[in-house]
């Protein structure tokens, strides 16, 4: 073959590759024999590489992927088949009392599968072109219908919970705990005796992503938590604090049964699917209305980047733990040792350097 002819063929091939948006490395990879693992085989590596938090979040969804596609190879599913899997999950999602048409299950499965393919690309098991996820529309999260409860409705919920259950002290304690701290369910289930600081009236909350934060509580609540731990056998400082009467640690199921029971007497619970998370909305709404967004963000344990401000200002107006304690003090009507006892006013500027210099 003439040199000129070979060069012309190479040039034509390069132009064709450019037109098809194909890189030389992809041609070489395609020419090499591939032994793409199945989902069941590869999922072991995904689980082993995932953090404990991700394992907890995605375990059930990775299980479902293996259940549906375990024997298939990673490069086999098409974008259309991914969409069909998402709809299958939606149709078979567990219908809890607070479900929203399976939207949460669909979103979680989407992100669980997204992590599988990203890990496969990072490990060079697949090329980016073999990833079907970019062609799959991202599911929309269901719009939250939660909002702050009125004081009257909250009081009715507490009276009903305490008056209709077999363990009124536990019901009253967890409702008070969530209202004061605006903690998520995990914050209560993960609470340990060692997380209580009776002197400074603080509890350490461990919630999403194992993030820890200090949260002020009233002296009344702190005393109740200490008594509960002592009475129900939570003497191991590293063991769960909230417990049933027989000493077993509290479970998520206990929360669900509480709201199902109270919902039989309070119609609004069933009509609006009210759950414990609504108390978080209630407290944070009250804090925001009375102390501003910065304090509400700190009270919630959110980072400044999640605040309502979008810009550099958020870095300059973060709220302190003392300001959170001040908000709690106003909420409960009980003095807190960390609450701020000062305020900026004209009196704070009476002795001003400029005034002194002018004398």
């Amino acid at each position: 073959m003439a040199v000129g002819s070979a060069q012309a063929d190479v040039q034509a091939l390069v132009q064709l590759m450019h037109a098809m948006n194909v890189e030389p490395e992809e041609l070489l990879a395609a020419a090499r024999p591939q032994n793409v693992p199945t989902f069941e085989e590869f999922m072991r590596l995904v689980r082993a590489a995932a953090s404990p938090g991700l394992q907890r979040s995605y375990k059930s969804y990775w299980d479902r992927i293996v259940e549906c596609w375990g024997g298939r190879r990673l490069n086999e599913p098409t974008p259309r088949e991914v969409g069909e899997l998402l709809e299958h999950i939606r149709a078979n999602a567990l219908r809890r009392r607070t479900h929203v048409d399976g939207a949460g299950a669909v979103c979680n499965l989407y992100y669980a599968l997204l992590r599988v393919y990203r890990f496969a690309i990072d490990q060079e098991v697949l090329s980016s072109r073999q990833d079907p996820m970019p062609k799959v529309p991202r599911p929309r999260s269901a719009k939250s219908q939660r909002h702050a409860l009125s004081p009257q409705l909250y009081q009715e919920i507490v009276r009903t919970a305490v008056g209709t259950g077999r363990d009124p002290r536990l019901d009253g304690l967890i409702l008070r705990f969530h209202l004061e701290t605006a903690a998520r369910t995990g914050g209560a289930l993960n609470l340990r005796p060692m997380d209580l600081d009776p002197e400074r009236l603080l509890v350490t909350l461990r919630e999403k992503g194992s993030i820890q934060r200090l949260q002020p509580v009233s002296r009344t609540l702190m005393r109740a938590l200490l008594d509960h731990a002592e009475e129900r056998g939570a003497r191991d400082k590293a063991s769960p604090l909230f417990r049933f009467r027989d000493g077993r640690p509290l479970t998520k199921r206990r929360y669900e049964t509480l709201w199902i029971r109270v919902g039989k007497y309070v119609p609004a619970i069933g009509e609006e699917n009210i759950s414990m998370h609504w108390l978080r909305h209630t407290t944070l709404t009250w804090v925001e209305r009375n102390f501003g967004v910065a304090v509400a963000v700190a009270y919630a344990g959110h980072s400044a980047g999640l605040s309502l401000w979008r810009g550099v200002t958020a870095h300059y107006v973060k709220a302190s733990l003392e300001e959170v304690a001040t908000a709690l003090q106003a909420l409960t009507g009980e003095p807190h040792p960390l609450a701020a006892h000062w305020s900026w006013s004209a009196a704070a500027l009476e002795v001003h350097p400029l005034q002194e210099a002018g004398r």
Side-chain angles (χ1 to χ4, degrees):
M1 179 182 294
V3 174
S5 176
Q7 290 178 336
D9 290 341
V10 169
Q11 186 63 32
L13 179 59
V14 169
Q15 292 177 350
L16 179 61
M17 290 170 59
H18 281 308
M20 297 178 64
N21 195 24
V22 175
E23 298 295 331
E25 292 79 6
E26 294 181 273
L27 287 179
L28 293 174
R32 290 193 296 267
Q34 284 187 310
N35 185 21
V36 178
T38 64
F39 280 92
E40 185 173 9
E41 295 168 341
F42 191 67
M43 202 64 74
R44 300 190 189 100
L45 301 178
V46 175
R47 295 179 197 270
S51 66
L54 288 177
Q55 291 179 28
R56 287 192 298 271
S57 298
Y58 293 123
K59 178 186 182 303
S60 61
Y61 297 97
W62 286 336
D63 289 344
R64 295 299 303 274
I65 293 170
V66 172
E67 178 186 325
C68 296
W69 286 351
R72 302 190 69 182
R73 301 195 180 277
L74 297 180
N75 60 341
E76 291 181 358
T78 64
R80 179 179 61 81
E81 289 176 310
V82 173
E84 291 173 350
L85 178 63
L86 295 176
E87 289 307 312
H88 171 74
I89 295 300
R90 185 192 303 276
N92 293 277
L94 180 62
R95 289 317 197 239
R96 292 189 176 90
R97 186 178 58 85
T98 57
H99 83 277
V100 186
D101 193 29
V106 171
C107 285
N108 288 333
L109 183 83
Y110 173 88
Y111 287 111
L113 193 58
L114 192 67
R115 286 195 170 274
V116 172
Y117 277 108
R118 284 180 178 174
F119 187 68
I121 294 171
D122 291 341
Q123 299 300 308
E124 298 183 350
V125 173
L126 296 179
S127 70
S128 58
R129 287 182 173 275
Q130 293 173 299
D131 179 8
M133 300 306 290
K135 298 180 180 179
V136 178
R138 184 172 62 181
R140 291 186 178 182
S141 300
K143 185 177 180 180
S144 175
Q145 301 298 317
R146 300 186 187 107
H147 55 77
L149 303 177
S150 68
Q152 295 77 15
L153 178 55
Y154 173 73
Q155 291 169 2
E156 184 180 3
I157 289 171
V158 173
R159 284 195 297 266
T160 304
V162 172
T164 62
R166 298 178 180 178
D167 196 347
R169 295 185 66 179
L170 177 61
D171 291 338
L173 180 58
I174 60 178
L175 287 169
R176 175 69 180 257
F177 176 82
H178 283 283
L179 186 74
E180 275 200 27
T181 63
R184 301 175 178 88
T185 302
L189 297 180
N190 294 329
L191 192 68
R192 307 162 299 182
M194 64 187 295
D195 296 325
L196 306 185
D197 183 344
E199 292 187 7
R200 296 190 297 166
L201 296 184
L202 295 173
V203 297
T204 299
L205 296 178
R206 290 169 292 119
E207 300 177 313
K208 280 186 174 181
S210 300
I211 296 176
Q212 296 188 11
R213 62 186 172 98
L214 292 174
Q215 191 72 22
V217 297
S218 68
R219 192 170 301 278
T220 297
L221 178 57
M222 178 61 73
R223 189 180 300 114
L225 292 172
L226 291 169
D227 291 345
H228 179 85
E230 179 64 26
E231 292 171 2
R232 306 215 167 176
R235 296 179 179 85
D236 179 356
K237 297 297 184 181
S239 66
L241 186 146
F242 285 104
R243 293 172 181 265
F244 295 100
R245 280 179 170 171
D246 60 7
R248 290 178 297 119
L250 206 64
T251 63
K252 280 188 176 181
R253 179 61 183 165
R254 181 64 174 77
Y255 280 80
E256 184 66 14
T257 56
L258 168 64
W259 289 101
I260 290 175
R261 169 166 50 87
V262 178
K264 294 178 180 178
Y265 304 92
V266 182
I269 291 176
E271 294 167 359
E272 300 189 60
N273 290 329
I274 294 173
S275 65
M276 197 66 77
H277 205 71
W278 285 59
L279 299 189
R280 180 171 167 84
H281 285 255
T282 300
T283 302
L284 297 179
T285 298
W286 184 89
V287 172
E288 186 275 329
R289 299 293 192 268
N290 291 276
F291 292 89
V293 178
V295 180
V297 168
Y299 206 115
H302 288 154
S303 66
L306 293 177
S307 69
L308 295 180
W309 314 292
R310 298 295 180 185
V312 71
T313 306
H315 297 287
Y316 294 91
V317 291
K318 296 176 184 176
S320 65
L321 183 62
E322 289 75 15
E323 290 176 283
V324 174
T326 303
L328 173 81
Q329 179 174 269
L331 176 69
T332 63
E334 296 185 28
H336 195 282
L338 299 184
H341 299 291
W342 51 265
S343 63
W344 281 97
S345 64
L349 302 176
E350 285 181 354
V351 182
H352 194 281
L354 294 180
Q355 294 173 343
E356 291 293 317
R359 291 179 180 175

